[in-house]
Amino acid sequence: MKRKLLFVASIMGLMLVSCNLFTNANEKLILIGAFTQPCTDGMMETECLQIKWTKDQTEWQNFYGEIEGFAFEKGNEYQLIVKEEEVKNAPADASSLRYKLVKEVSKIKVELPNLIYSDNSKNALDWQGTYEGILPCADCEGIKTTLKLATDDTFTRTVEYLGKKGTPFSDSGKIEWNKEGSAITLNNNNTNQQYQVGENQLFHLDQSGNQIKGALAENYILRKVDHE
């Protein structure tokens, strides 16, 4: 009789815990990894959260999209309760599901000083070569840019301001990769411009190192013109 009562009490306890965690049938517990990985979302190179949909899942996978109300801080692993909602009339190239943060169950700091990133742009792509494009310009027709990246981590660049008098400007220097191996900074006395490195293309980043989005995003891309 005692065993039967103990079993019933255990079941009721589990039910109470479930009720405390989940208030909606569309809610689920997910795990967020401590770092992001370079990924391609449509035509755009970006950084994806690493996610596990269950605690039993052994490998992290890319999460394409955002979790509304969740502010990710690199170096922390999270357990979240999120609400999954269906997006009506979603575009063909967009997810038919969206996620909203219900509760942050846990946030654990993870030490990452010696973390080795695999399959990143630096070690997985043939990034060396020449890239060209016309970047937007506030007071000219466009900035025609030719940028050559070499395997010894150096660059040479030629810039021409279209529609303005003057000869093209050339410079050179070293490139510096970020810790994740996904983006480079052009370092010399004239510039510290940053680019995210994608498959045969470079995405010009803003001064904060963020990818430029919106209607003009396609205009901030340099495309590879050779395959050395």
Side-chain angles (χ1 to χ4, degrees):
M1 183 64 178
K2 289 183 178 181
R3 289 184 179 179
K4 185 175 181 181
L5 290 173
L6 181 61
F7 176 75
V8 172
S10 299
I11 295 297
M12 291 182 66
L14 289 173
M15 291 175 65
L16 287 173
V17 170
S18 298
C19 289
N20 289 333
L21 283 177
F22 304 107
T23 60
N24 189 291
N26 294 332
E27 293 178 3
K28 57 178 60 179
L29 181 71
I30 61 173
L31 286 74
I32 303 294
F35 58 93
T36 59
Q37 285 282 16
C39 62
T40 302
D41 187 5
M43 293 291 294
M44 303 295 292
E45 290 287 327
T46 185
E47 295 282 326
C48 281
L49 292 175
Q50 300 300 290
I51 191 169
K52 290 182 180 180
W53 296 99
T54 68
K55 291 184 177 181
D56 296 331
Q57 186 175 332
T58 57
E59 298 291 335
W60 295 101
Q61 67 182 73
N62 289 336
F63 179 76
Y64 299 92
E66 298 180 353
I67 300 172
E68 185 178 330
F70 172 57
F72 174 72
E73 295 180 9
K74 188 174 293 187
N76 295 283
E77 288 189 353
Y78 298 84
Q79 291 189 56
L80 307 177
I81 297 175
V82 297
K83 183 179 180 181
E84 183 181 80
E85 297 180 340
E86 185 176 353
V87 179
K88 295 182 179 180
N89 302 317
D93 58 347
S95 174
S96 61
L97 297 174
R98 66 182 173 203
Y99 297 88
K100 294 183 179 180
L101 178 66
V102 175
K103 181 179 181 181
E104 184 179 295
V105 178
S106 66
K107 176 183 177 181
I108 302 174
K109 184 71 175 178
V110 176
E111 296 297 330
L112 303 174
N114 298 316
L115 183 64
I116 298 176
Y117 292 82
S118 61
D119 295 334
N120 58 32
S121 298
K122 183 178 182 181
N123 61 33
L125 299 179
D126 294 325
W127 52 266
Q128 64 275 10
T130 302
Y131 299 78
E132 291 184 350
I134 299 177
L135 301 175
C137 177
D139 59 354
C140 67
E141 297 174 5
I143 305 173
K144 183 178 180 181
T145 303
T146 301
L147 177 60
K148 184 174 182 179
L149 305 180
T151 54
D152 62 353
D153 286 343
T154 60
F155 76 90
T156 55
R157 180 179 56 169
T158 301
V159 174
E160 180 181 0
Y161 291 86
L162 302 178
K164 298 184 71 172
K165 295 181 179 180
T167 58
F169 167 78
S170 296
D171 65 349
S172 61
K174 297 287 291 184
I175 64 174
E176 180 180 344
W177 288 88
N178 66 355
K179 182 177 65 174
E180 293 84 357
S182 62
I184 59 172
T185 300
L186 309 183
N187 284 324
N188 67 11
N189 294 329
N190 300 312
T191 184
N192 61 348
Q193 286 184 349
Q194 299 177 70
Y195 288 89
Q196 188 165 348
V197 181
E199 186 78 32
N200 295 325
Q201 51 192 345
L202 301 176
F203 299 87
H204 186 86
L205 304 179
D206 64 21
Q207 293 183 347
S208 300
N210 299 315
Q211 192 164 329
I212 297 169
K213 299 181 179 181
L216 296 178
E218 285 289 321
N219 298 329
Y220 287 90
I221 300 175
L222 302 182
R223 290 183 168 82
K224 200 172 187 182
V225 296
D226 66 18
H227 302 277
E228 298 175 351

